[in-house]
Amino acid sequence: MTKPLLSVQNLTIDIPVGGGTLHAVRGIDFTLDRGEVLCIVGESGSGKSLTSLALMGLLGKRISCTADQMDFDGTALLEASPRKMRSLRGARMSMIFQEPMTSLNPAYTIGDQLMEAMLLHENVPRSKARARAIDLLEKVGITAAASRLGQYPHQLSGGLRQRVMIAMALMCGPELIIADEPTTALDVTIQAQILRLLVDLVREMNMAMILITHDLGVVARVADKVAVMYAGQLVETGPARDVFSQPLHPYTRGLLHCIPQPGKTARGEPLGTIPGIVPSLVGEVEGCVFRTRCEHAVPACHAAIPRRERGDHAFRCVHEDGHAPDDTRAKEATDA
Amino acid sequence: MLQFILKRLGLAILVAITVSFISFSLLFLSGDPAAALAGETASGEDIEALRRLYGFDRPMLVQYFDWLASALRGDFGESYYFKLPVAGLIFDRLEVTMLLGVCGISFALLVAVPLGVAAAMRPNSIIDRLALFMSVAGQALPSFWFGLILIVVFAIKLGWLPPSGTTSWQNFVMPTIVLGYYAMPAIMRLTRAGMLEVLNSDYIRTARAKGASEVRVMFKHALRNAIIPVVSLAAVQMGFMLGGSIVVESIFALHGAGYLAWESIARNDLPTVQALILIFSMFYIVFTFLADVLNAWLDPRMRSS
């Protein structure tokens, strides 16, 4: 069996804050093969973006990041020298950010910024980088690509800028793309277009992608694998089909219950909500972090939580099937 | 870009015309120029004669256009005190002042900008604190005191540099330091603040995500955006250095235009004062215009607005 492109074990990110340590990411594991799309789902502040920045080596110096393993194609990312990391970033792994409006440098043309990564990493003449930039701009659906190269970011709309960001991430033909909520800041009509485009390109170029989102509709359409993140932990991971058809963790079920599903959600029926708020992650956190909002909570939730596996599908819960044994009402509600 | 430059140029010319009118009217704001010229013991007839001789009896607007037309040809009239053409008088002195101003602002920029960048790269580090100390000291030290200390140490005690005069480049070392040191704190703090803000922006993260080196991130991506307010500030300070270097010029006995302005005000030498005010204002206008053009080149968003 070939080794996965990316494998992460026990990734932990701590941020020093006034009066303690914020345990933002607490021991997460996942792997990703070439050509696979992994969606990391979770609400704001669950540590999704920090995880992606950790992979890119872009966490600031103040943030401490440890892992038993964080390998990208045989390179241990945490031990790699800054120079080694620079040679990976933008070349073999690249990132698309959430904010297209502010993620481009206002002082340089689109062309300069597109060509930069290629000129930095590959020993190619400008003319070749320029040809590649035009080629990619056309690929991401920008018309009059050659004339766009001389334009500045402020002359483009948000949707166009995000297309430019995607083209920029693809310049060196990376093996891994990390897209951190790439469509959140865009109009709903543009969101679907951009996402479709991104996924098509990833499939076409056989790249691996980590797509970070809080939109389960997006996940259902594009993911091979899903990782549900809650308060710094992956509470459930598995093939997208399994997670959607058989959500095991109470949080995943709660999330799925929050979105309308064609044919399942009756007209006029109120959508579900998850009561309560995400607990503070400052200081030591023990047991299941979701227990304060969980309708299946039992005293045992305060103790260490086992990781349960059913083939590729894994979750963390005290209950064997994610349900409290005596809570038949809740079971019926989710089975219905 | 060309359209932007033309627009700014038009504005600059309008400002220049306004300023020229104001500096001309100064002549009349300070009382009857003929009486001032004639002195306290002059008779009424003498004053009248002088009034006709210098043309003060004509309507003010006629006098203004007459004065402006001569000024444009480089003729600023004759100094009441030196009895010499003002133009020649000023241009001799202007050379010293310009040299001092250019050296002073260059020194300030060369020290303050790298220091500001270094301080922003490592906030609260030793470099940051040292830079803060230097800027507080620069803000607090009066230039006449700092200048005298330099003379005592480097000219008298060590004998490395001449204390005064304008005979060689060595004469300009200490004045440059004193003048530049005065402009440094603001430039340094503004560079630091600008860099700190820019370094937190999303496009810096994008540059890092592309694999750009720290040096490239700092100087190509960050500094270009952070330096924009510094350019405007430096232009104003350069203008100030030309007109306001009176203290430094007198300490080091550099007889520049600033010193001449001070002397001429004391002597009521109105044509000289008028011409100096006009020339200093023009420098201000030119520097501001150049700063605007430079900023438009640095930040494309300014060109379209």
Side-chain angles (χ1 to χ4, degrees):
Chain A
M1 196 184 135
T2 54
K3 276 176 71 178
L5 178 68
L6 183 70
S7 66
V8 176
Q9 258 177 40
N10 199 22
L11 173 65
T12 304
I13 300 175
D14 290 335
I15 305 172
V17 288
T21 305
L22 172 66
H23 302 285
V25 174
R26 295 172 305 123
I28 64 172
D29 313 316
F30 63 88
T31 60
L32 187 64
D33 288 320
R34 285 170 207 276
E36 255 184 347
V37 176
L38 165 71
C39 283
I40 302 183
V41 200
E43 50 199 288
S44 310
S46 58
K48 299 169 299 190
S49 297
L50 283 171
T51 304
S52 61
L53 290 174
L55 288 170
M56 293 291 285
L58 290 175
L59 292 172
K61 285 177 206 128
R62 287 179 51 248
I63 300 177
S64 99
C65 173
T66 59
D68 293 344
Q69 191 189 28
M70 193 160 85
D71 287 359
F72 172 79
D73 196 26
T75 307
L77 296 177
L78 285 176
E79 278 110 69
S81 66
R83 175 184 286 270
K84 177 74 190 167
M85 282 308 288
R86 276 208 305 275
S87 73
L88 290 178
R89 277 201 295 267
R92 298 186 58 198
M93 47 200 280
S94 56
M95 188 155 175
I96 300 164
F97 296 99
Q98 187 175 356
E99 286 294 336
M101 300 311 277
T102 51
S103 289
L104 289 164
N105 193 328
Y108 294 98
T109 61
I110 302 301
D112 274 340
Q113 297 187 61
L114 275 168
M115 290 187 278
E116 185 175 16
M118 198 171 184
L119 295 173
L120 279 174
H121 293 293
E122 294 169 31
N123 191 15
V124 292
R126 263 188 95 78
S127 60
K128 202 166 166 218
R130 196 185 140 83
R132 169 91 176 153
I134 294 174
D135 188 40
L136 279 174
L137 283 184
E138 278 165 0
K139 252 205 169 96
V140 298
I142 293 181
T143 51
S147 67
R148 298 280 185 192
L149 291 185
Q151 287 190 315
Y152 288 94
H154 73 274
Q155 294 167 311
L156 306 182
S157 68
L160 277 180
R161 288 190 211 184
Q162 195 60 304
R163 284 170 198 265
V164 170
M165 288 298 291
I166 292 173
M168 203 145 95
L170 298 175
M171 276 302 279
C172 295
E175 289 140 85
L176 172 66
I177 286 229
I178 302 172
D180 184 1
E181 308 206 18
T183 58
T184 307
L186 302 175
D187 291 344
V188 180
T189 47
I190 309 289
Q191 284 188 2
Q193 285 176 24
I194 297 279
L195 203 70
R196 183 80 275 151
L197 171 77
L198 190 57
V199 173
D200 286 348
L201 288 170
V202 167
R203 300 265 186 242
E204 186 188 322
M205 300 183 182
N206 197 31
M207 293 179 283
M209 174 160 80
I210 297 177
L211 180 64
I212 293 171
T213 179
H214 53 238
D215 184 344
L216 284 168
V218 165
V219 180
R221 270 180 287 160
V222 305
D224 297 313
K225 278 189 190 169
V226 178
V228 180
M229 199 156 185
Y230 181 77
Q233 279 187 329
L234 291 183
V235 291
E236 183 161 356
T237 54
R241 206 178 323 109
D242 297 355
V243 173
F244 275 93
S245 64
Q246 257 199 324
L248 292 170
H249 195 279
Y251 178 63
T252 315
R253 289 201 302 270
L255 279 183
L256 287 171
H257 205 56
C258 296
I259 53 166
Q261 284 169 307
K264 266 191 162 179
T265 312
R267 189 170 287 276
E269 184 190 326
L271 291 171
T273 54
I274 303 175
I277 52 160
V278 184
S280 161
L281 296 177
V282 178
E284 288 310 311
V285 187
E286 279 184 351
C288 175
V289 270
F290 188 59
R291 64 174 182 262
T292 53
R293 304 170 72 183
C294 182
E295 51 186 359
H296 304 281
V298 293
C301 295
H302 289 266
I305 305 298
R307 182 180 143 98
R308 299 177 184 281
E309 289 184 21
R310 292 184 182 179
D312 293 337
H313 195 166
F315 69 112
R316 286 172 185 274
C317 186
V318 282
H319 307 302
E320 219 165 293
D321 59 353
H323 293 277
D326 54 346
D327 195 347
T328 45
R329 183 195 51 77
K331 192 168 162 61
E332 274 163 20
T334 40
D335 284 352
Chain B
M1 185 77 182
L2 188 69
Q3 202 187 359
F4 172 86
I5 293 177
L6 289 176
K7 224 159 137 187
R8 286 289 145 149
L9 198 61
L11 266 178
I13 290 170
L14 281 180
V15 175
I17 291 171
T18 315
V19 167
S20 73
F21 186 73
I22 293 172
S23 57
F24 173 76
S25 5
L26 285 178
L27 189 63
F28 297 91
L29 289 178
S30 51
D32 184 350
L37 205 57
E40 281 168 25
T41 55
S43 68
E45 279 164 34
D46 291 344
I47 294 175
E48 273 312 307
L50 272 174
R51 202 189 300 284
R52 268 194 301 279
L53 178 67
Y54 285 97
F56 294 137
D57 52 345
R58 295 172 301 161
M60 192 170 154
L61 266 181
V62 174
Q63 289 185 57
Y64 167 68
F65 283 114
D66 189 37
W67 172 78
L68 189 65
S70 321
L72 285 175
R73 289 194 306 269
D75 173 12
F76 292 97
E78 190 176 90
S79 160
Y80 295 165
Y81 179 81
F82 292 102
K83 308 290 178 206
L84 287 168
V86 172
L89 211 60
I90 291 178
F91 285 109
D92 285 349
R93 312 285 189 101
L94 216 49
E95 208 181 293
V96 173
T97 301
M98 288 283 281
L99 189 63
L100 191 57
V102 169
C103 290
I105 198 77
S106 309
F107 173 74
L109 286 171
L110 284 176
V111 175
V113 171
L115 207 57
V117 172
M121 277 170 84
R122 291 173 206 280
N124 298 321
S125 65
I126 296 198
I127 293 183
D128 190 21
R129 275 153 211 261
L130 189 78
L132 178 66
F133 172 77
M134 278 177 73
S135 68
V136 169
Q139 212 75 287
L141 281 182
S143 36
F144 63 84
W145 187 79
F146 186 46
L148 289 176
I149 293 294
L150 285 188
I151 292 178
V152 168
V153 175
F154 292 102
I156 297 172
K157 289 256 154 69
L158 297 169
W160 290 353
L161 293 163
S164 63
T166 51
T167 44
S168 83
W169 63 270
Q170 289 165 323
N171 291 105
F172 286 90
V173 174
M174 287 193 289
T176 295
I177 292 172
V178 175
L179 202 58
Y181 198 68
Y182 180 78
M184 232 176 54
I187 295 176
M188 204 279 287
R189 296 310 281 177
L190 202 60
T191 307
R192 179 184 181 272
M195 282 297 279
L196 277 180
E197 196 191 315
V198 168
L199 285 177
N200 269 324
S201 58
D202 291 340
Y203 57 82
I204 293 301
R205 194 179 52 186
T206 307
R208 291 206 171 105
K210 275 189 220 174
S213 64
E214 272 310 288
V215 173
R216 193 178 169 89
V217 167
M218 286 295 155
F219 290 96
K220 183 170 171 171
H221 289 276
L223 190 58
R224 179 158 176 170
N225 287 290
I227 205 79
I228 289 165
V230 178
V231 170
S232 308
L233 175 71
V236 173
Q237 283 188 328
M238 176 78 194
F240 181 78
M241 279 184 182
L242 291 182
S245 55
I246 304 172
V247 175
V248 175
E249 286 181 13
S250 14
I251 294 172
F252 295 98
L254 296 169
H255 290 282
Y259 191 69
L260 178 68
W262 180 72
E263 282 177 321
S264 305
I265 291 166
R267 289 171 188 147
N268 235 342
D269 191 352
L270 280 168
T272 316
V273 175
Q274 243 178 358
L276 280 168
I277 290 172
L278 186 69
I279 288 171
F280 287 147
S281 315
M282 293 306 134
F283 275 123
Y284 255 106
I285 293 168
V286 168
F287 291 135
T288 313
F289 169 70
L290 290 178
D292 282 348
V293 171
L294 185 57
N295 275 343
W297 176 74
L298 287 170
D299 186 352
R301 284 168 299 182
M302 277 186 219
R303 290 170 218 167
S304 45
S305 64

